Amino acid sequence: ATDGETSLPAVTQRMLAALRQGEAMGYNAMPFKNVAHIAGVSPTSGTTSNRKGTLTSGGYITVSGKDVALTDKGREYPIDVELPPTDPVGLLAFWKREIGTGKICQILDVIVTRGRVSNEELYEAVGMTNSGTFSNYKGVLTGRGLIVKSGRDYVPAEVFTR
């Protein structure tokens, strides 16, 4: 950030990075939910909505309906975060590095690999019980927009299936 300009948090910078990647692939605007998924946040959370508001009021993005687009200021902001890959395999590897090792990574891997998995299949696949810790891990992954509850099952976020 320049003198007098507020430094944007890493997650907010990843939202800008996701839009830059979209532009590099030829998209002048992207649905906000896609930007959120690539940045690893839930597109429906209040915190994510606040980040979108910060980017809008700061002049980094414009909003048109469900789509968002970079402004010149957003293109020029010095991003200090790793850009998430655009391919599903690279994106999975990126988020596994970001969220650490262990059972939470195994949960993400099982859901992305299988495509749809029931709660019971999931906790058995990763060698856990249907415990509070297991629920917390799913909550972290859901909160980051990486997995979605679909009926009684869990599925990978759309960004992993395109």
Side-chain angles (χ1 to χ4, degrees):
T2 59
D3 290 339
E5 185 175 4
T6 303
S7 179
L8 296 174
V11 173
T12 307
Q13 288 185 42
R14 281 201 302 263
M15 293 168 77
L16 287 177
L19 280 164
R20 287 182 186 179
Q21 284 184 340
E23 280 193 348
M25 296 178 350
Y27 300 103
N28 292 327
M30 293 173 57
F32 180 71
K33 72 176 187 169
N34 292 2
V35 172
H37 285 310
I38 293 169
V41 294
S42 171
T44 58
S45 82
T47 302
T48 301
S49 181
N50 290 342
R51 288 185 178 115
K52 177 181 169 186
T54 297
L55 290 172
T56 304
S57 64
Y60 300 100
I61 65 171
T62 59
V63 179
S64 177
K66 293 182 179 185
D67 290 345
V68 292
L70 285 170
T71 63
D72 287 340
K73 185 176 180 180
R75 283 182 201 93
E76 294 164 6
Y77 185 87
I79 292 180
D80 189 28
V81 294
E82 180 182 352
L83 298 177
T86 56
D87 65 291
V89 172
L91 193 62
L92 176 60
F94 173 85
W95 282 111
K96 285 169 74 174
R97 280 194 317 275
E98 286 287 308
I99 61 177
T101 59
K103 296 295 183 183
I104 194 167
C105 283
Q106 290 176 13
I107 291 168
L108 179 61
D109 197 41
V110 166
I111 294 169
V112 171
T113 303
R114 294 188 184 179
R116 175 176 287 275
V117 62
S118 72
N119 195 57
E120 183 176 339
E121 292 168 332
L122 185 57
Y123 68 72
E124 287 176 358
V126 299
M128 293 185 77
T129 61
N130 195 15
S131 64
T133 301
F134 179 67
S135 294
N136 288 342
Y137 287 161
K138 293 182 302 183
V140 168
L141 296 171
T142 303
R144 287 189 176 220
L146 300 173
I147 66 171
V148 178
K149 182 118 167 101
S150 176
R152 299 184 64 163
D153 297 338
Y154 289 91
V155 297
E158 185 179 310
V159 71
F160 290 113
T161 59
R162 54 187 160 96

